[in-house]
């Protein structure tokens, strides 16, 4: 009976470790999130991805702004797909630049299956007039 309890405890610990590992073991570069103007006038945003969250979760820009998004995997292995702008980042450190030429709210989500919280791993780009 004691062996069964120990085996069950080990199995539970292994399942918890797998669940917490989420999308893998990729590590980010440590860059901070935020928006800053680059030398070419683009809004530069580093999006930090952890299990199961993007930081920042909301990005606000003005219509007509040039935007540069960079993905930083701080925990796990994640991708990012931005609806409405044909942007998909599939690896840590990947960047994409585009002009925010459509006003509205556009969802982005994790594009690499990363575990039980994957479906809720979302954020939004708000493009204001």
């Amino acid at each position: 009976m004691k062996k069964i309890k120990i085996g069950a405890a080990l199995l539970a610990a292994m399942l918890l470790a797998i669940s917490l590992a989420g999308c893998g073991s990729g590590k980010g570069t440590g860059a901070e999130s935020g928006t800053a103007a680059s030398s070419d006038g683009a809004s530069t945003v580093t999006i930090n991805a952890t299990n199961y969250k993007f930081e920042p979760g909301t990005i606000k820009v003005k219509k007509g702004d040039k935007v540069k998004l960079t993905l930083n995997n701080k925990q796990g292995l994640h991708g990012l797909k931005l609806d409405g702008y044909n942007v998909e980042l599939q690896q840590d450190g990947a960047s994409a630049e585009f002009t925010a030429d459509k006003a509205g709210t556009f969802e982005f989500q994790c594009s690499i299956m990363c575990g039980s919280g994957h479906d809720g791993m979302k954020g939004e780009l708000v493009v204001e007039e």
Side-chain angles (χ1 to χ4, degrees), residues 43 59 99 109 122:
S43 295
I59 302 164
T99 299
Q109 64 274 338
K122 298 178 181 178

Side-chain angles (χ1 to χ4, degrees), residues 72-94:
N72 180 22
N73 283 322
K74 292 185 77 82
Q75 178 188 34
L77 180 60
H78 305 278
L80 182 145
K81 182 176 182 185
L82 173 60
D83 295 338
Y85 279 98
N86 197 30
V87 170
E88 189 162 358
L89 306 175
Q90 286 291 312
Q91 60 187 357
D92 187 40

Side-chain angles (χ1 to χ4, degrees), residues 20-34 46-56 70-80 91-94 110 114 121:
L20 291 175
C23 295
S25 60
K27 296 295 179 195
T29 60
E32 296 299 316
S33 292
T46 297
I47 300 172
N48 291 312
T50 60
N51 296 333
Y52 300 94
K53 184 178 178 183
F54 289 115
E55 279 291 328
T70 301
L71 179 63
N72 180 22
N73 283 322
K74 292 185 77 82
Q75 178 188 34
L77 180 60
H78 305 278
L80 182 145
Q91 60 187 357
D92 187 40
C110 183
C114 58
M121 191 170 172

Side-chain angles (χ1 to χ4, degrees), residues 1-9:
M1 185 69 160
K2 190 173 184 178
K3 288 182 182 180
I4 293 173
K5 287 183 182 179
I6 292 171

Side-chain angles (χ1 to χ4, degrees), residues 106-121:
F106 303 89
E107 183 178 87
F108 57 87
Q109 64 274 338
C110 183
S111 60
I112 297 175
M113 181 53 165
C114 58
S116 62
H118 172 75
D119 289 340
M121 191 170 172

Side-chain angles (χ1 to χ4, degrees), residues 33-47:
S33 292
T35 303
S38 67
S39 59
D40 64 358
S43 295
T44 302
V45 181
T46 297
I47 300 172

